[in-house]
Amino acid sequence: MTTSFFRTALILGLLSAIGPFAIDMYLPALPSIGKDLSAENNVVQMSLLAFFISFAIFQLIYGPLSDMWGRKAPLYMGIGLFAVASVGCALSKDIETLIAFRFLQGIGGAAGMVIPRAIVRDMHTGVQAARLMSLLMLVFSISPILAPLTGSAVISVYGWRGVFWAVMIAAFIGLILLSTQLKETRPKDARQESSLRSALAAYRLLMGDRNFLTLTFIGGLSISSFLVYLANSPFVLIDHYGLTPTQYSIAFSINAVSFFTVSQLTGWLGERFGLVRVMRVALTAFSFTMAAMVVVMALGFNQLPVLATFLFIGYGFLGLVIPTTAVLALEDHGEIAGTASALMGTLHFVTAAVAMVVAGLFFDGTALPMAAGIGLCAVGAFVLTQATIGRRRIVEAEAAAE
């Protein structure tokens, strides 16, 4: 792997992390936002859900645009909107205004999520794509590691509004890197074949592709297990277990360390055993770990160290599931990589939004409903894998590789 390979992974990872940075950095502030704006916890969570909804839906727009206009122009639009919306969030005087600007922030952040995956597919396929995707995720994992800690530090000095000024600065840094360090990977001759009509045709093709949809929903359920934790963990760890915002940030970051460390083995394991086999084994271990967590906590062992241990182990296996499902889903759709990445991202976050809403309905301030939501998502991904991607698919993938 060359220096340019690592540089590309660094830039794409940072661009991808801008949107999630706006989530993870303000998680420690959720309780204080509720107090400052006189809003109930479930209303404050709507600011998170609003971001996810727009973040999911507008990926469907950016994907075709990146196929028609090239990868860089939609990135400029999205990150610019994200920066403006961040200012609106920082100046919000009530929870309704904050929710509205969070929705706009999600619209802008969607560009940074969908387009870097398309760029990976523009440049590589197979194991090389898995290597680049895992490196991208290594940088992307800076968000859940550093963002909560940075958020706690910013909140302690400037309050929760300071978080949004900080993410605005991060957006401007992203724009500078985009303009100076990233080359266009979608050639003009390829764009000539892309149009609104071709985008709609591509979506019809993808919605009829069982392999693409299966891998996408496996990835979506797996990601949902983490986002259910993300939405509920501030209230469980801070209000229920009594952690300070800084302690919560450290606990949250530990899981990200497990995730990105194991994800770096994706390329090596994929080359040795095949990406499909790696995905199935990792997903089996992930689902069994999370199911065991639910059982143990339901039996009364619901202390924080028990929860933290299971999450650390489980999210390590998740680090192998996410990049492999993404690479395998995009493998056969290089000509419409932007559109395919967009639909994949939207279905991921729609699945996660449903899981977050359902888990929120059962939330009672304790850890068990959150753990149950995580476990159900993991087991759902396992069942879908077993039902659709069996040994026959492994044999076919190995034969194609030869």
Side-chain angles (χ1 to χ4, degrees):
M1 289 185 283
T2 64
T3 301
S4 62
F5 192 93
F6 284 101
R7 184 174 65 249
T8 300
L10 175 63
I11 296 168
L12 294 179
L14 290 175
L15 291 173
S16 298
I18 287 174
F21 201 72
I23 302 171
D24 302 331
M25 193 172 176
Y26 99 128
L27 286 177
L30 287 178
S32 61
I33 289 173
K35 293 175 183 177
D36 187 39
L37 299 181
S38 301
E40 298 292 332
N41 287 345
N42 62 332
V43 179
V44 175
Q45 283 184 314
M46 286 298 297
S47 66
L48 186 62
L49 184 60
F51 184 95
F52 275 119
I53 290 172
S54 60
F55 198 66
I57 293 173
F58 280 85
Q59 289 187 52
L60 293 173
I61 306 298
Y62 286 115
L65 286 181
S66 73
D67 285 339
M68 289 186 283
W69 298 352
R71 308 306 185 199
K72 293 185 69 171
L75 275 171
Y76 282 122
M77 292 169 50
I79 297 174
L81 176 60
F82 178 91
V84 173
S86 298
V87 175
C89 290
L91 299 177
S92 296
K93 300 298 183 183
D94 53 63
I95 191 65
E96 292 80 13
T97 303
L98 177 63
I99 291 172
F101 276 111
R102 286 289 285 170
F103 186 85
L104 289 175
Q105 207 180 33
I107 294 175
M113 179 59 68
V114 63
I115 298 175
R117 284 196 302 255
I119 293 174
V120 171
R121 180 56 185 81
D122 289 342
M123 300 176 68
H124 300 286
T125 59
V127 173
Q128 281 295 95
R131 285 198 177 100
L132 182 55
M133 191 75 76
S134 61
L135 281 171
L136 184 155
M137 293 182 68
L138 172 60
V139 181
F140 180 81
S141 296
I142 289 174
S143 176
I145 294 173
L146 296 183
L149 293 169
T150 305
S152 295
V154 171
I155 292 164
S156 66
V157 179
Y158 301 105
W160 64 266
R161 298 178 189 278
V163 167
F164 294 106
W165 293 115
V167 297
M168 181 200 69
I169 294 172
F172 276 112
I173 293 173
L175 288 171
I176 293 171
L177 289 173
L178 175 61
S179 64
T180 60
Q181 300 296 321
L182 191 65
K183 294 182 179 180
E184 178 61 61
T185 59
R186 178 75 168 171
K188 289 185 177 180
D189 57 346
R191 299 179 216 170
Q192 292 174 356
E193 300 178 1
S194 299
S195 64
L196 179 59
R197 179 176 295 179
S198 66
L200 294 175
Y203 279 130
R204 284 196 297 271
L205 171 68
L206 293 167
M207 290 301 292
D209 186 335
R210 180 185 173 188
N211 180 62
F212 173 83
L213 292 177
T214 297
L215 288 163
T216 294
F217 279 112
I218 291 170
L221 285 168
S222 301
I223 291 171
S224 297
S225 70
F226 180 75
L227 296 182
V228 167
Y229 171 70
L230 184 149
N232 292 278
S233 60
F235 303 103
V236 172
L237 272 63
I238 295 175
D239 293 340
H240 178 62
Y241 286 119
L243 299 187
T244 66
T246 300
Q247 290 170 334
Y248 163 77
S249 301
I250 294 172
F252 189 88
S253 301
I254 288 172
N255 292 323
V257 171
S258 172
F259 176 89
F260 84 71
T261 300
V262 178
S263 73
Q264 298 314 294
L265 300 175
T266 304
W268 179 75
L269 291 173
E271 190 170 33
R272 183 161 183 164
F273 301 108
L275 292 178
V276 177
R277 192 185 299 274
V278 170
M279 183 200 74
R280 291 186 78 245
V281 172
L283 190 52
T284 300
F286 170 61
S287 61
F288 273 77
T289 300
M290 294 315 197
M293 174 184 69
V294 178
V295 172
V296 169
M297 296 190 70
L299 291 174
F301 300 95
N302 58 0
Q303 295 85 0
L304 180 57
V306 174
L307 175 67
T309 299
F310 276 109
L311 290 175
F312 181 83
I313 296 171
Y315 287 141
F317 290 116
L318 185 64
L320 294 174
V321 174
I322 302 304
T324 51
T325 54
V327 169
L328 289 169
L330 296 176
E331 189 76 15
D332 298 328
H333 298 292
E335 294 301 316
I336 53 171
T339 303
S341 177
L343 183 58
M344 180 171 65
T346 294
L347 293 177
H348 280 177
F349 281 93
V350 167
T351 304
V354 172
M356 289 163 61
V357 169
V358 173
L361 293 175
F362 293 94
F363 183 70
D364 61 1
T366 67
L368 185 57
M370 179 186 74
I374 293 170
L376 286 173
C377 289
V379 171
F382 170 76
V383 171
L384 182 58
T385 302
Q386 294 300 111
T388 58
I389 303 180
R391 291 188 174 277
R392 181 179 177 182
R393 173 68 196 275
I394 294 177
V395 173
E396 291 174 352
E398 290 174 344
E402 293 175 357

